[in-house]
């Protein structure tokens, strides 16, 4: 059973990556936000007061944010699939 879940998770991760790549390609606002994120990360890393203690705090913050955003994205994806099934049932397309 765990292997099935791992395979599903891998497939979802690959789909999320592909979807985000397409979103960046097609959406100028997303491209701009990615550039802002890269520039901000470089500014923080190159800041003269960016010591080991601050690095640990910033790294912990961003790791937590990445985890939360990943979980949120996965939840939305699964909920969207559930909603799609509900709509198809209501339309009588599936039972």
């Amino acid at each position: 059973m765990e292997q099935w879940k791992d395979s599903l998770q891998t497939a979802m991760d690959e789909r999320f990556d592909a979807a985000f790549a397409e979103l960046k390609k097609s959406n100028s606002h997303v491209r701009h936000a990615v550039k802002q994120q890269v520039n901000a990360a470089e500014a923080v890393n190159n800041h003269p007061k960016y010591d080991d203690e601050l690095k640990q705090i910033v790294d912990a913050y961003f790791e937590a944010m990445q985890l939360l955003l990943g979980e949120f994205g996965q939840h939305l994806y699964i909920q969207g699939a559930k909603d799609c099934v509900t709509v198809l049932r209501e339309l009588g397309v599936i039972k």
Side-chain angles (χ1 to χ4, degrees), residues 39-85:
N39 291 340
E42 288 175 0
V44 168
N45 283 325
N46 294 328
H47 196 281
K49 293 183 181 179
Y50 191 57
D51 61 8
D52 286 340
E53 180 182 3
L54 184 55
K55 181 182 183 331
Q56 289 177 348
I57 293 168
V58 170
D59 287 349
Y61 171 79
F62 282 109
E63 285 177 23
M65 288 303 299
Q66 286 294 101
L67 177 65
L68 288 171
L69 290 171
E71 291 294 320
F72 184 61
Q74 183 174 344
H75 174 78
L76 289 177
Y77 185 84
I78 291 169
Q79 187 59 49
K82 289 177 182 179
D83 292 346
C84 181
V85 170

Side-chain angles (χ1 to χ4, degrees), residues 1 19 34-35 38 49 60 73:
M1 184 67 168
V34 169
K35 285 180 185 177
V38 169
K49 293 183 181 179

